[in-house]
Amino acid sequence: MTSQIPPLPLVPGRGLSGRTALVTGSTSGIGLGVARALAAAGANVVLNGFGDAAEITHLCATLEAETGVTVGFSGADMRKPEEIAAMIAEADARIAPIDILVNNAGIQYVSPIESFPLDKWDEIIAINLTAVFHATRAVVGRMKERRWGRIINTGSAHALVASPFKSAYVAAKHGVMGLTKVVALETAEFGVTCNSICPGYVWTPLVEKQIADQCKVHGKSRDEVIRDILLAPQPTRRFVTVEEVGAIAVFLASDGAQSITGTSISVDGGWIAR
Ligand code: NAD
């Protein structure tokens, strides 16, 4: 099956020029790193997430000035299916149909299962898993029609292996991995790929926020949590950077990755090699 859109160069650089990417949860952390990398590779990007309105406006303007691409923003709440649909329709109308969807928005909560708050379970499943379904569902038809598309899910090492006290997160991320495989099978003949990037620990606000909870459940100090809990399973003993995750997203979005689908790429310092 050949793509109706002329092929882009295999080597990144500005190889994504003319593509439009939506990165959910991209006002900070990994999502912002991925959005920056895609923009640097020439893709127009739509940012999404929460944060201070003036800071987000400044962020969009800076990214546009640095990269020369068009940068849009949607404050859609990924817990709300109607806001996800509206964000995608608006991106389509204002910039272009989404060629590259990065399902990245996510939250974390750490607690033993017997006291895991019910509202936290629902919220994690809604943002980390159900939103991936809604956003994918909204873009995939147009991608199939256009015979080109990239769906990149931010999984986690926790999409492949478990840790205690993260029942909702591990369940959601394993779900994302299953969904990744189904979408890959349904789109394989249409020039569309779907994969998950599975980072180990990346130093972002999401990790910073869980340190206090980890101190509580493990009875350890902050330094002990970083050394004995967070970096213990990561043989490199260093945090992954958002730039490293961004580089993999650019590769998966390139035409060089067109035969990679339904799988995961671990960026975890060797975590799951154990
Ligand atoms: P982060 O807290 O820095 O960023 C999360 C982003 O999601 C922010 O932009 C936030 O505004 C947005 N967001 C949160 N709730 C939202 C909602 N309801 N609607 C729209 N946007 C919302 O977190 P991060 O560490 O960059 O995590 C990003 C993704 O990477 C998540 O899916 C997370 O599970 C995954 N991940 C993180 C790590 C890590 O160590 N940091 C490791 C593996 C996977």
Side-chain angles (χ1 to χ4, degrees), residues 115-273:
S115 53
F116 205 96
L118 300 184
D119 60 335
K120 289 292 177 198
W121 171 276
D122 288 343
E123 200 178 12
I124 289 176
I125 298 298
I127 299 171
N128 295 20
L129 176 58
T130 308
V132 179
F133 163 75
H134 287 298
T136 302
R137 184 174 178 275
V139 301
V140 83
R142 294 293 300 276
M143 286 181 176
K144 284 167 74 176
E145 277 168 30
R146 290 157 55 78
R147 295 201 166 271
W148 200 93
R150 295 288 187 266
I151 298 167
I152 301 169
N153 299 323
T154 304
S156 167
H158 285 123
L160 306 169
V161 295
S163 294
F165 312 123
K166 295 186 173 179
S167 52
Y169 187 85
V170 171
K173 292 294 183 181
H174 275 64
V176 167
M177 200 55 238
L179 185 55
T180 299
K181 294 176 187 175
V182 173
V183 173
L185 294 179
E186 290 189 22
T187 57
E189 291 180 70
F190 296 89
V192 178
T193 69
C194 180
N195 294 289
S196 291
I197 299 175
C198 291
Y201 279 107
V202 186
W203 189 258
T204 69
L206 178 140
V207 167
E208 180 60 44
K209 278 183 230 153
Q210 70 177 275
I211 289 179
D213 294 337
Q214 294 271 22
C215 292
K216 221 183 300 165
V217 293
H218 292 283
K220 287 178 181 283
S221 70
R222 178 187 167 83
D223 286 349
E224 286 168 340
V225 161
I226 291 174
R227 189 191 62 218
D228 302 341
I229 308 292
L230 301 187
L231 294 182
Q234 212 149 285
T236 48
R237 301 276 173 185
R238 56 175 278 275
F239 287 99
V240 174
T241 67
V242 299
E243 288 78 14
E244 288 163 353
V245 181
I248 299 299
V250 170
F251 167 64
L252 284 174
S254 74
D255 280 352
Q258 63 195 344
S259 296
I260 300 175
T261 196
T263 193
S264 58
I265 297 187
S266 290
V267 188
D268 65 3
W271 181 329
I272 64 152

